[in-house]
Amino acid sequence: MSHQELLQTRFPAAGLVFSDFRDNHRVQVPKERLVEVLTCLKTEGGFDMLVDITAVDYLEYEDADDRFGVVYVLLNTSTGERTIVKTFVNDPDPTLPSMYPLWKSADWTEREVYDMFGIKFEGHPDLRRILMPDEFTTFPLRKDYPLKGRGERHNFPVITRSES
Amino acid sequence: MAVKDIPDNVFMTTLDAAANWSRANSLWPMPFATACCGIELMATASSRFDLSRFGAEVMRFSPRQCDLMIVAGRVVMKMLPVLQRIWLQMPEPKWCISMGACACTGGVFDTYAVVQGVDRFIPVDMYVPGCPPRPEQLIAGIIALQDKVIKTGTFNGREFAKRTVAMGPPPFDADELIRIREGNEQLPVLN
Amino acid sequence: MPFQVSDLAELDAPEKEYLWTLNFGPQHPATHTTLRLVLTLDGERVVKAVPYIGYLHSGFEKLGEDLDFNQYVTIVDRMNYISPLANEIAWHHAVEKLLDIELTPRCKYIRTILAEIMRIQDHLLNVGTCALDLGGFTAFLYFFTLREQIYDIVESASGQRFHTSYTRVGGVMFDVDNAWVDKIRAFCKGFRPVHEEVHKLLTRNRIFIERVQGVGFLSKEDAINKGVTGPLARASGVLRDIRKDEPYLAYPDFDFKVVAAKSGDCYGRYLVRMAEMMESLKIIEQAMENIPAGPINVDPETKAVIPAKPAVYRSIEGLIQHFEVIMPNRQAGSPREEIYAATESPNGELGFYIAGDGSWKAYRARCRPPSYIHFATFPDMIKDHQLSDVVAVLGSINIIAAELDR
């Protein structure tokens, strides 16, 4: 049984949207059902590896309804089957449940999504900035943050030759 | 009192020239290797190119033992305080080579996190362009630096005391400042 | 930046005052580039290791939203800089999947050969520096000589010895010639004796074995649960290789084995890497025998591929085609879809998640970096080992800071 049939039988009225593009099989899940769907995929579907978590900021995307899309790429290591689970969150205060209890690989990937997009993961054991300095206040991969920054990269003391 | 009958194996020279000669030919590099250029630095030091032919192969990873810092690779916001601290820890006399486009100007990484040239924040003596520079080019940079040390160095480092202003471009881009003013944005302060 | 108080909360009991805190990095020779670890030590035993990363975060993914599909290849080059071409191939594999472009057979073969050469290049540096960190300088020098030959090979294909920027959407930048083929043949011939020599130096060397055997253990279940891929996972017994499981490029044509080990320690990883180099060499030798003739780029009618320079300068069609690809207002579009495509890079599964918004740029170019996922397993791997094992484990998991931080 493929994972699509599994999910259709388990969650008949959960509002899941299935789509295929090239060889990617995708499932769009409402935020409230995310934990159930991912737990079902792990325990019954055999998706034992969480390959990646990432997010997309749809602020400048035409006809987009929601602000952030969060993407979970899952892999079944015994059959080689892949699926991509996607859910949407919105401003203000975008929050999702953490997948750390299911897959340990969610630890750093969720921290990165938090660092870059400001999406909080409830239940994560250690959610703080990972790539940017702790003093940083904004989230650089959001579309409203400019590519060249807001001058933070120039804001350091200068050491001249005679001082050193 | 004039010195008479100097044996053939005794040379007379100035103290500055003797010090410069020995300093130039035994540079101890501190490889501040952050990215791609670090691999080319390794290639320069190993089999085919063999930096030891030019008297600069004693790589020491402790800044207190070195007199030449080679900044190889891009330096980002989080790393710059570390770079400055390591520079301050090195004993005088010391020199700095900025290796690669990213260390010189930021290179292709004109982004929010990358410092646009380390010479904005620490003094740099020699720039080696390239992305990354070939090992020959780095060797040429080191030879040019040796030349500079021999020509301008002094025994007690007097030439450094005169350089009281930063030598690189100013730390702010003009257009960036204008943008910040027009947008009424405040510069965030990082500690 | 001081480390967080929360990191030490559980160790802060009064009877544990004898614990030491040691800062390791970000500028330390054994980290190869820029990592930082805060280690809590009981004597020489590591009680807890907390990694701090981001000392080379340069905004790769933000740049991917600013540059078009061909331009961004120069940036992904600089991601895993000990095997640059593998990143280019992964990036354009994802882009071509998004645009639904099927490569020509000749291009597939050339990319496959270069991808395997990159795998050898990566493993050479990794094994060499691992030996160097544990006190064996000879293996490093032997392997660096081979790496210089590989630099020559990629230089004669692309013109640059390090960051090649060789692939393009729908093909590669230049065709290869016979001199390139001869260089690879000579490399294959010279590779085996050196590989044999290093085997003799390290594989049964007692000092080396005592430093790596049983150190940095990672079980199969942990490897899967933590998302570990590539040689690291195969050394723990996860039989998975994207080249076999989801074949791409010309890999279905070749006969090669997936190397795996059961031990899951640093020694197993070393052996897997050494054996993988030989398998890669086998692929290269098979591919060299029958590189198909024909064009290297897909049909120019697809409006996706940059024409050859002589055609641009000497024919109006070539010039127009060049314009169509280069000028921002004339460029073809991408589907308004999102795709995840992965390749087996030397370090593990290197995937790109691209969101297309109809333009010739990625709306979002996410890279799934293997180093990042692997480094997250480090604190558990090093727990209860000696301080000197930190270097061995770091060397064996092959952390590339630019890929780690992007």
Side-chain angles (χ1 to χ4, degrees):
Chain A
M1 187 163 70
S2 79
H3 67 274
Q4 290 197 356
E5 293 161 17
L6 172 77
L7 287 179
Q8 269 161 352
T9 48
R10 289 279 158 195
F11 305 98
L16 307 187
V17 183
F18 296 94
S19 60
D20 285 347
F21 180 65
R22 312 278 187 250
D23 61 353
N24 284 9
H25 307 294
R26 304 179 296 194
V27 191
Q28 197 173 308
V29 180
K31 181 181 154 186
E32 297 75 32
R33 311 300 295 266
L34 184 69
V35 180
E36 295 165 56
V37 169
L38 286 177
T39 312
C40 168
L41 280 173
K42 187 186 177 199
T43 51
E44 294 171 50
F47 287 93
D48 45 4
M49 189 188 277
L50 176 62
V51 177
D52 195 12
I53 301 176
T54 185
V56 186
D57 181 0
Y58 289 106
L59 184 66
E60 292 166 5
Y61 204 82
E62 280 172 44
D63 321 323
D65 300 327
D66 303 280
R67 175 79 196 263
F68 300 106
V70 180
V71 179
Y72 296 80
V73 184
L74 304 180
L75 170 70
N76 184 339
T77 47
S78 46
T79 60
E81 197 182 4
R82 278 179 197 272
T83 184
I84 293 172
V85 178
K86 191 170 179 187
T87 187
F88 291 100
V89 281
N90 274 305
D91 274 342
D93 199 23
T95 310
L96 277 176
S98 170
M99 288 305 133
Y100 183 75
L102 290 176
W103 293 281
K104 294 281 179 289
S105 67
D107 184 1
W108 278 25
T109 36
E110 281 179 356
R111 270 177 79 183
E112 192 189 347
V113 171
Y114 166 70
D115 192 0
M116 291 291 145
F117 291 94
I119 298 171
K120 292 199 180 68
F121 290 90
E122 279 172 352
H124 190 283
D126 185 21
L127 194 68
R128 55 192 161 86
R129 285 192 172 269
I130 186 163
L131 293 176
M132 303 306 294
D134 285 349
E135 302 89 354
F136 213 70
T137 49
T138 48
F139 302 104
L141 277 187
R142 287 190 176 185
K143 286 281 176 183
D144 50 7
Y145 186 80
L147 171 69
K148 296 183 185 179
R150 295 193 175 125
E152 297 94 337
R153 61 183 180 177
H154 302 305
N155 206 3
F156 291 97
V158 181
I159 296 178
T160 63
R161 195 72 217 215
S162 58
E163 290 166 354
S164 54
Chain B
M1 188 184 78
V3 182
K4 286 180 194 168
D5 300 332
I6 301 169
D8 284 350
N9 54 355
V10 172
F11 301 94
M12 302 289 279
T13 179
T14 61
L15 197 52
D16 279 352
N20 289 341
W21 174 75
S22 47
R23 278 172 188 162
N25 290 299
S26 72
L27 290 171
W28 285 31
M30 151 88 214
F32 192 88
T34 54
C36 336
C37 292
I39 307 293
E40 284 297 68
L41 189 58
M42 274 157 78
T44 317
S46 54
S47 325
R48 190 184 284 184
F49 295 97
D50 196 9
L51 193 58
S52 58
R53 294 177 295 161
F54 305 95
E57 89 284 15
V58 199
M59 301 269 182
R60 286 291 178 272
F61 293 92
S62 163
R64 304 206 186 269
Q65 298 174 335
C66 301
D67 52 9
L68 167 63
M69 178 192 259
I70 300 181
V71 184
R74 55 191 174 275
V75 176
V76 306
M77 263 165 33
K78 217 171 169 179
M79 197 66 179
L80 188 77
V82 180
L83 173 72
Q84 288 184 327
R85 190 160 169 180
I86 286 179
W87 172 254
L88 290 176
Q89 282 176 351
M90 284 167 61
E92 290 283 2
K94 59 190 173 187
W95 297 275
C96 177
I97 288 183
S98 155
M99 175 185 180
C102 301
C104 294
T105 65
V108 290
F109 295 101
D110 193 0
T111 61
Y112 54 90
V114 180
V115 170
Q116 301 295 299
V118 291
D119 56 353
R120 290 163 189 260
F121 301 107
I122 63 164
V124 172
D125 292 285
M126 196 62 64
Y127 299 86
V128 182
C131 191
R134 293 181 66 95
E136 296 96 324
Q137 217 167 337
L138 178 63
I139 291 173
I142 288 175
I143 292 174
L145 182 73
Q146 288 174 339
D147 210 37
K148 183 175 175 181
V149 172
I150 287 179
K151 281 185 181 147
T152 65
T154 49
F155 176 67
N156 51 6
R158 291 187 300 278
E159 80 274 20
F160 295 146
K162 290 174 194 159
R163 301 182 197 161
T164 50
V165 288
M167 284 174 289
F172 292 100
D173 291 341
D175 58 334
E176 211 148 8
L177 272 184
I178 290 165
R179 189 170 56 72
I180 289 167
R181 277 192 203 123
E182 282 175 353
N184 295 323
E185 288 174 32
Q186 291 291 315
L187 265 184
V189 178
L190 298 185
N191 295 315
Chain C
M1 182 185 62
F3 65 93
Q4 307 280 317
V5 180
S6 61
D7 296 338
L8 286 178
E10 65 188 76
L11 303 168
D12 213 17
E15 69 269 19
K16 295 206 173 153
E17 271 176 358
Y18 54 86
L19 293 179
W20 282 45
T21 305
L22 180 74
N23 181 47
F24 188 98
Q27 169 61 30
H28 187 276
T31 63
H32 298 300
T33 37
T34 51
L35 320 168
R36 178 161 170 243
L37 296 167
V38 174
L39 304 168
T40 309
L41 301 174
D42 172 8
E44 276 210 47
R45 194 171 61 87
V46 178
V47 182
K48 185 171 185 180
V50 183
Y52 288 87
I53 66 169
Y55 289 92
L56 199 55
H57 174 69
S58 352
F60 278 80
E61 290 175 5
K62 193 87 176 171
L63 267 174
E65 297 163 8
D66 191 53
L67 301 177
D68 73 29
F69 291 141
N70 278 323
Q71 289 169 332
Y72 190 50
V73 77
T74 57
I75 307 294
V76 291
D77 249 351
R78 285 147 180 83
M79 205 175 276
N80 182 342
Y81 41 73
I82 62 175
S83 52
L85 260 159
N87 303 318
E88 299 172 13
I89 289 165
W91 165 248
H92 276 147
H93 175 67
V95 171
E96 279 148 13
K97 211 177 199 181
L98 177 73
L99 301 175
D100 200 17
I101 293 173
E102 177 73 20
L103 293 173
T104 62
R106 184 175 175 82
C107 177
K108 277 185 183 171
Y109 266 65
I110 291 171
R111 281 197 191 180
T112 312
I113 292 168
L114 285 169
E116 290 311 307
I117 285 181
M118 284 301 128
R119 193 178 315 281
I120 293 179
Q121 192 183 20
D122 174 279
H123 291 353
L124 285 176
L125 189 84
N126 181 247
V127 172
T129 49
C130 190
L132 175 68
D133 291 343
L134 301 178
F137 199 38
T138 319
F140 173 75
L141 287 180
Y142 281 8
F143 274 173
F144 233 95
T145 319
L146 286 177
R147 270 178 71 89
E148 288 291 342
Q149 293 178 19
I150 291 177
Y151 283 146
D152 282 352
I153 291 170
V154 292
E155 190 176 5
S156 76
S158 72
Q160 235 276 30
R161 86 185 218 121
F162 202 95
H163 290 317
T164 52
S165 304
Y166 184 54
T167 60
R168 292 288 181 273
V169 176
V172 291
M173 188 165 49
F174 307 117
D175 201 353
V176 295
D177 54 5
N178 286 336
W180 183 76
V181 174
D182 292 342
K183 270 186 185 161
I184 294 185
R185 290 230 168 90
F187 168 76
C188 293
K189 212 174 162 190
F191 179 81
R192 287 171 203 277
V194 181
H195 188 265
E196 196 76 4
E197 197 99 4
V198 173
H199 252 310
K200 282 181 196 158
L201 275 174
L202 294 178
T203 310
R204 297 183 62 196
N205 182 332
R206 191 160 162 203
I207 304 171
F208 183 73
I209 289 179
E210 302 226 330
R211 289 294 301 275
V212 293
Q213 203 160 41
V215 170
F217 177 71
L218 181 70
S219 70
K220 187 179 175 183
E221 292 71 34
D222 270 2
I224 291 175
N225 197 273
K226 290 177 178 171
V228 174
T229 49
L232 231 73
R234 290 196 283 276
S236 297
V238 183
L239 276 174
R240 199 175 150 71
D241 189 324
I242 301 179
R243 292 177 292 170
K244 283 274 188 201
D245 297 340
E246 300 162 27
Y248 58 100
L249 292 181
Y251 285 113
D253 299 359
F254 306 124
D255 169 37
F256 65 99
K257 289 181 191 132
V258 175
V259 186
K262 277 184 183 169
S263 64
D265 58 357
C266 294
Y267 190 54
R269 285 167 218 148
Y270 158 76
L271 289 176
V272 165
R273 288 208 168 93
M274 288 297 270
E276 262 189 16
M277 280 195 255
M278 291 316 283
E279 293 300 318
S280 296
L281 200 71
K282 263 165 59 185
I283 298 178
I284 296 170
E285 282 171 343
Q286 290 170 46
M288 294 312 288
E289 291 312 312
N290 40 11
I291 300 179
I296 46 163
N297 287 332
V298 294
D299 191 8
E301 291 299 313
T302 53
K303 305 277 180 211
V305 60
I306 299 179
K309 274 285 176 285
V312 178
Y313 292 138
R314 292 185 195 136
S315 71
I316 188 71
E317 293 83 10
L319 189 64
I320 290 171
Q321 168 68 7
H322 186 82
F323 251 71
E324 298 274 343
V325 180
I326 300 293
M327 301 304 283
N329 56 348
R330 302 284 303 164
Q331 279 163 343
S334 57
R336 286 169 58 86
E337 286 281 359
E338 303 183 2
I339 197 155
Y340 177 83
T343 58
E344 183 76 20
S345 88
N347 227 347
E349 176 175 334
L350 179 65
F352 279 96
Y353 187 87
I354 305 178
D357 63 347
S359 70
W360 192 242
K361 283 179 191 170
Y363 182 76
R364 167 98 170 98
R366 155 75 179 173
C367 166
R368 187 261 182 206
S371 289
Y372 187 79
I373 312 281
H374 293 172
F375 197 42
T377 64
F378 179 77
D380 289 341
M381 262 192 220
I382 196 62
K383 207 170 178 192
D384 290 336
H385 283 305
Q386 303 288 307
L387 175 61
S388 54
D389 295 334
V390 172
V391 177
V393 178
L394 268 182
S396 79
I397 56 179
N398 195 15
I399 303 299
I400 313 298
E403 189 188 60
L404 176 75
D405 296 341
R406 285 154 291 126

